[in-house]
Amino acid sequence: HVVIWQADTKEPYIIGTRLSYLEDPSLTLSLTHVQQKRADFSPHEAKGINLGYTSSAHWIRTTLENQSGNNQILYWDTSYAFYDELTFFVLRSDGSMEQTDLGDLRAFSERPVNHRNFVFPFEIAANERVEIYVRMLSEEAIFMWPSLRREAAFRDAVALDNLIMGLLYGITIIMVLFNAMLYFGTRDESYILYVIYIIVSCLDGFSLSGLGFQHLWSDSPQFHNRSLCFFAMLSVASGAHFFRVYLGT
């Protein structure tokens, strides 16, 4: 499959159906080995990649051709925040190769783009054709909703995303303050337990969305790698305790 980028390409350009993939259960395949196994790649037919929980490494590949008539800086957005190892390779027609190593076992500051998801920017000249390989490995479920945007469209998407997240968590803060006031006014234990449940659930959402690693524990990749399970269990425990007290059981 070839991804064609044109001047009128609709953004985001979802490229899941333009990819092929290869499983590496041995975790030993290098880029050179993978290139030699092109015939073993299977076409991917869905817009999103959902490989579930697996101990294997997975490779995806595609070819991108820029027919827009201008040089482009494109952003490959994974729409996901949890990969232990994520490596992008761009192979150009002149034989040169660019490699970008990402992953949530690395400090957030090492990312090329300050974003909650893993985003890979690269440049492609007018009429240039490049081959892209991506290697994924994770203890968590492997998911990707791969899309391409130009820089301006990516910035607009980030602004909209920040607005939505700001509204969502702003409402959450109002709920916390309101129920905290009710607790101090009534001393009813269920209100403070509800506040704790909301805060923990909010942190769980922060972890899942990648916002926690971006803003709260950016220098603690090991904690981020365990944060989803940690806050999920805390959320269930605090919610169960709140409902037990609230229902009087």
Side-chain angles (χ1 to χ4, degrees):
H1 295 300
V2 179
V3 177
I4 304 296
W5 187 271
Q6 298 177 321
D8 59 351
T9 294
K10 184 179 179 181
E11 302 174 69
Y13 186 0
I14 309 299
I15 59 174
T17 57
R18 315 301 297 174
L19 307 174
S20 55
Y21 67 96
L22 174 70
E23 183 176 4
D24 172 21
S26 68
L27 308 182
T28 60
L29 294 181
S30 66
L31 176 63
T32 301
H33 294 139
V34 167
Q35 287 179 280
Q36 295 170 354
K37 290 178 172 288
R38 283 186 184 137
D40 295 334
F41 275 77
S42 302
H44 190 265
E45 299 178 354
K47 292 183 178 180
I49 300 171
N50 188 356
L51 301 174
Y53 289 89
T54 172
S55 59
S56 300
H58 285 81
W59 291 79
I60 57 176
R61 67 172 296 273
T62 192
T63 301
L64 173 64
E65 184 174 337
N66 179 14
Q67 296 183 0
S68 68
N70 298 299
N71 295 350
Q72 299 286 350
I73 297 177
L74 299 179
Y75 286 70
W76 179 308
D77 187 357
T78 64
S79 301
Y80 194 52
F82 285 90
Y83 301 97
D84 290 347
E85 298 176 17
L86 184 68
T87 307
F88 287 86
F89 302 90
V90 178
L91 282 64
R92 302 191 182 275
S93 55
D94 61 3
S96 63
M97 187 267 287
E98 300 163 13
Q99 177 177 337
T100 304
D101 296 309
L102 303 172
D104 58 22
L105 296 179
R106 298 171 176 267
F108 189 88
S109 58
E110 295 184 24
R111 298 189 185 187
V113 178
N114 181 18
H115 193 269
R116 61 189 182 89
N117 295 325
F118 287 99
V119 179
F120 165 62
F122 63 97
E123 187 171 357
I124 182 169
N127 302 315
E128 185 180 11
R129 188 183 180 102
V130 299
E131 195 172 10
I132 298 176
Y133 287 85
V134 183
R135 180 182 184 271
M136 305 176 290
L137 178 65
S138 183
E139 291 181 351
E140 294 81 14
I142 294 181
F143 172 82
M144 184 183 291
W145 188 270
S147 64
L148 292 174
R149 289 184 178 92
R150 288 173 294 182
E151 185 171 12
F154 176 76
R155 300 300 177 192
D156 290 343
V158 170
L160 178 60
D161 182 69
N162 289 339
L163 175 62
I164 293 172
M165 289 295 178
L167 289 173
L168 176 63
Y169 288 107
I171 292 171
T172 303
I173 291 172
I174 291 172
M175 291 175 63
V176 167
L177 294 175
F178 178 71
N179 282 276
M181 290 174 60
L182 290 177
Y183 167 72
F184 288 117
T186 65
R187 295 298 174 177
D188 186 335
E189 183 185 7
S190 62
Y191 288 116
I192 196 62
L193 291 176
Y194 186 52
V195 167
I196 294 172
Y197 171 59
I198 293 174
I199 292 174
V200 173
S201 297
C202 184
L203 289 172
D204 187 32
F206 249 55
S207 174
L208 179 61
S209 66
L211 288 170
F213 196 30
Q214 182 180 11
H215 297 294
L216 299 180
W217 48 83
S218 57
D219 294 325
S220 302
Q222 292 295 339
F223 176 73
H224 174 65
N225 199 39
R226 299 287 183 264
S227 63
L228 187 58
C229 181
F230 175 72
F231 286 121
M233 290 189 297
L234 253 142
S235 180
V236 170
S238 61
H241 186 48
F242 161 69
F243 285 112
R244 184 183 65 82
V245 171
Y246 181 73
L247 298 174
T249 58

